[in-house]
Amino acid sequence: MATTVRIIGAPMDYGADRRGVDMGPSAIRYAEVADRLSDAGVTAVDDGDLSIPRAEERDPNTDEPIEGTAKFLREVEDVCTRLEERVAETLADGEFPLVLGGDHSVAIGSMRGSAREADLGAIWFDAHADLNTPATSPSGNVHGMPLAATLGRGAFGDLSWARAPRVREESIAYVGLRSIDERERELVRDSEMTAYTMADIDERGMTAVVEDALDVATDGTDGVHVSLDLDWVDPKTAPGVGTPVRGGVTYREAHAALETVSERHAAEEIVRSMDVVEVNPILDEGNETATIAAELTASAFGNRIL
Ligand SMILES: NC(=[NH2+])NCCC[C@H](N)C(=O)O
Ligand SMILES: [Mn+2]
Ligand SMILES: [Mn+2]
């Protein structure tokens, strides 16, 4: 990818149950994400972090006037509104926004910002569907809801999210699903989204699946958002995540996926924005998960063995 990559840290953990993902941006920087991008031949500029008050100083205010539960909803909205602005500005400057989370609710901000001036498709690399609404969520954690919020589904009170941006369900493809809540299953089945599960990857191989996912996300859109949740990778390989699910993608499959994205981008300039989320350094072993996050990011930007 030829353009300058602007790194935007979003050290937010309001959307997750377990403390620690707020340290994700530091850990991924420590794993030399900027140098790895330079090695891949792209210019990376670090914009620093959004300022985010610590969760202890806040009240989870679960008594929101909404149906169901969404903890720290106001706080998540505040951060995502600021992130949306930063992402939109970055794109307006002709640069590429790379958002480092933080829990997966940061994707609400990245996607809304990326979709402001474009019809946006997305590839969601994740063990989870993240399509819960406050009414269906078993946990009340907003990191299980970012796709619902971005699509304007569910009762998010009077939040700006209710006004859906230019993201259509049929332009979203999941890759690697393996943990879906009971009520969420119906939401995914009844949606227009395309879902490639781990079984699809077993059967067809990662490269073929990602090629198809790219077809879905580029069809009728102006560009693609890549959302990379590190719990997509098998927890034996990437243990530093708050909601690990066994049976995930291997180290090589993960690289193959991001390499496939970058090949298509090299030919067609399709990727507009990306976020790398859910790295939890407290649960990690020797910063391994953050290192994999940084490596996969470099693969997405064209880093190759030869
Ligand atoms: N981005 C994530 N790690 N999401 C995990 C979501 C887990 C579960 N589905 C929930 O709603 O609570
Ligand atoms: Mn997720
Ligand atoms: Mn996940």
Side-chain angles (χ1 to χ4, degrees), residues 103-105 124 126 128-130 132 137-141 143-146 179-181 184 229 231 242-243 277-278:
D103 72 71
H104 215 159
S105 54
W124 202 264
D126 202 331
H128 306 96
D130 293 346
N132 275 305
S137 171
S139 63
N141 295 325
H143 77 157
M145 314 180 193
S179 173
I180 308 178
D181 302 316
E184 199 180 25
D229 181 332
D231 67 35
T243 47
V277 302
E278 296 285 340

Side-chain angles (χ1 to χ4, degrees), residues 68-301:
T69 311
K71 295 178 221 164
F72 295 107
L73 187 56
R74 292 285 159 208
E75 283 77 9
V76 175
E77 186 201 23
D78 167 58
V79 173
C80 288
T81 304
R82 287 186 282 131
L83 179 58
E84 174 183 337
E85 243 11 89
R86 286 274 277 273
V87 167
E89 281 165 20
T90 302
L91 284 161
D93 288 343
E95 295 177 346
F96 185 103
L98 172 65
V99 176
L100 306 181
D103 72 71
H104 215 159
S105 54
V106 302
I108 303 167
S110 353
M111 285 179 79
R112 289 185 62 87
S114 186
R116 196 178 281 181
E117 300 290 334
D119 287 329
L120 190 71
I123 301 195
W124 202 264
F125 292 115
D126 202 331
H128 306 96
D130 293 346
L131 192 61
N132 275 305
T133 68
T136 66
S137 171
S139 63
N141 295 325
V142 181
H143 77 157
M145 314 180 193
L147 275 175
T150 304
L151 292 164
R153 283 164 159 255
F156 284 94
D158 55 1
L159 268 63
S160 56
W161 302 341
R163 294 188 296 277
R166 300 163 65 167
V167 185
R168 290 172 305 124
E169 288 186 5
E170 50 268 47
S171 307
I172 298 175
Y174 290 112
V175 176
L177 290 185
R178 60 188 183 277
S179 173
I180 308 178
D181 302 316
E182 214 164 286
R183 295 182 64 192
E184 199 180 25
R185 185 177 302 267
E186 293 150 40
L187 298 178
V188 174
R189 283 208 182 125
D190 295 343
S191 80
E192 305 282 315
M193 288 180 259
T194 303
Y196 298 105
T197 65
M198 286 309 298
D200 293 301
I201 296 168
D202 294 338
E203 208 175 295
R204 303 180 48 216
M206 183 60 92
T207 307
V209 165
V210 174
E211 287 289 0
D212 285 1
L214 283 163
D215 289 341
V216 168
T218 52
D219 187 23
T221 66
D222 304 312
V224 176
H225 176 75
V226 174
S227 203
L228 174 59
D229 181 332
L230 264 294
D231 67 35
W232 175 59
V233 179
D234 192 89
K236 288 222 166 76
T237 304
V241 297
T243 47
V245 189
R246 65 161 137 196
V249 309
T250 66
Y251 180 80
R252 257 330 299 171
E253 281 171 333
H255 276 283
L258 279 308
E259 286 166 8
T260 304
V261 170
S262 88
E263 303 267 300
R264 180 80 73 94
H265 183 78
E268 298 169 29
E269 282 244 13
I270 47 162
V271 187
R272 276 175 76 73
S273 48
M274 177 168 176
D275 45 45
V276 181
V277 302
E278 296 285 340
V279 171
N280 188 329
I282 288 180
L283 305 171
D284 207 0
E285 289 163 21
N287 216 37
E288 185 60 16
T289 306
T291 303
I292 291 171
E295 288 176 351
L296 291 175
T297 305
S299 274
F301 286 88

